[in-house]
Amino acid sequence: MNETPGGSPELFQRKICGITSIEDAEAMGAAGADALGLNFYPKSKRFLRSEIAADVRQAIPSDVAAVGLFVNGDVVDVVSAAQRLSLDWIQLHGDEPPEYLARLRRLGAPPVLKAFRCGPDWKQEIIDFLASCAALDCSPGALLVDGFDQNSYGGTGQAADWQALADWQDWLTCEYLVLAGGLRPDNVVAAIDAVHPSAVDTASGVEIEPGRKDPSLAARFCANAQAAMGV
């Protein structure tokens, strides 16, 4: 991974989440993704089993960011996994409060990608969360905004509110926004044109079935996203 002068990895632009096998780790890197997500939430359909996690991590190309997704996990366990697997980012996809990020920072965790869902009052929730993080000196490295499903923490294929996100640079006190939620090869260009995010993230949009990726769909997704973002 390339690094910023401060030592943190540069933000990726094309993330594919829910990698569950060595084959998919290799194929998604070859398809053009510059970040791959490893899901450590046991209730997820894309949960990565601990006995193969190290092998899957090792299969991720060196120029592709490894992002570990956690949901309301024990802080010490999260940091331990991040260190053991040499994760570049920790993605928090649960209800973790600012104090949780402060503990991660004190324990020397990698940069945090904090996810939010477009539920009721989600904008104010993000604004208040970032204000609290700033007061605790633990601001996340980037934010991810996903679609909303009250019964799930993500990976549902539900689209985020593109229209409400169009002006994110005017109210979001975070430099990087990752757009997720229902993104596919056939709609990622429209999503980028509407929101102008820093990065895009997909899981179900490039799958044959949950946890099993389609290299052709992934290549189209990455190519379309790259063209739309002008990189």
Side-chain angles (χ1 to χ4, degrees):
M1 280 296 298
N2 293 327
E3 294 190 348
T4 63
S8 297
E10 294 178 353
L11 185 70
F12 46 83
Q13 295 180 315
R14 301 170 301 281
K15 177 172 175 280
I16 295 178
C17 200
I19 305 301
T20 60
S21 69
I22 293 171
E23 293 76 16
D24 277 352
E26 295 172 344
M28 295 304 97
D34 60 358
L36 298 180
L38 309 179
N39 191 323
F40 297 106
Y41 180 46
K43 294 183 180 180
S44 172
K45 298 175 182 178
R46 302 173 182 88
F47 174 62
L48 179 60
R49 305 191 315 274
S50 59
E51 60 266 28
I52 64 170
D55 291 335
V56 173
R57 170 64 182 97
Q58 189 172 8
I60 297 177
S62 60
D63 59 346
V64 175
V67 183
L69 187 155
F70 301 89
V71 176
N72 301 327
D74 179 84
V75 173
V76 174
D77 290 343
V78 170
V79 174
S80 176
Q83 294 174 343
R84 183 175 66 254
L85 297 171
S86 298
L87 299 178
D88 297 300
W89 288 82
I90 288 175
Q91 179 173 332
L92 300 179
H93 225 294
D95 308 307
E96 301 89 356
E99 291 78 10
Y100 188 103
L101 276 70
R103 289 191 64 197
L104 286 175
R105 183 182 178 89
R106 288 196 297 271
L107 292 173
V112 170
L113 170 62
K114 182 67 179 81
F116 290 88
R117 294 170 289 165
C118 290
D121 301 320
W122 62 275
K123 275 192 177 182
Q124 192 60 50
E125 179 186 358
I126 292 175
I127 291 170
D128 292 345
F129 183 91
L130 291 177
S132 295
C133 286
L136 294 171
D137 192 26
C138 63
S139 296
L143 289 187
L144 181 147
V145 176
D146 201 351
F148 178 75
D149 184 328
Q150 63 180 359
N151 298 315
S152 176
Y153 283 107
T156 64
Q158 298 292 323
D161 189 340
W162 298 354
Q163 184 176 1
L165 281 167
D167 64 344
W168 68 271
Q169 296 184 54
D170 295 332
W171 58 269
L172 186 61
T173 58
C174 183
E175 186 177 356
Y176 298 118
L177 173 70
V178 180
L179 179 64
L183 298 182
R184 308 180 303 272
D186 62 345
N187 71 3
V188 68
V189 172
I192 291 170
D193 288 346
V195 179
H196 300 288
S198 311
V200 288
D201 185 351
T202 189
S204 62
V206 295
E207 286 183 330
I208 301 169
E209 59 187 31
R212 184 181 171 200
K213 307 305 182 191
D214 184 318
S216 177
L217 288 177
R220 286 173 49 207
F221 177 86
C222 291
N224 290 348
Q226 186 169 12
M229 298 180 84
V231 294

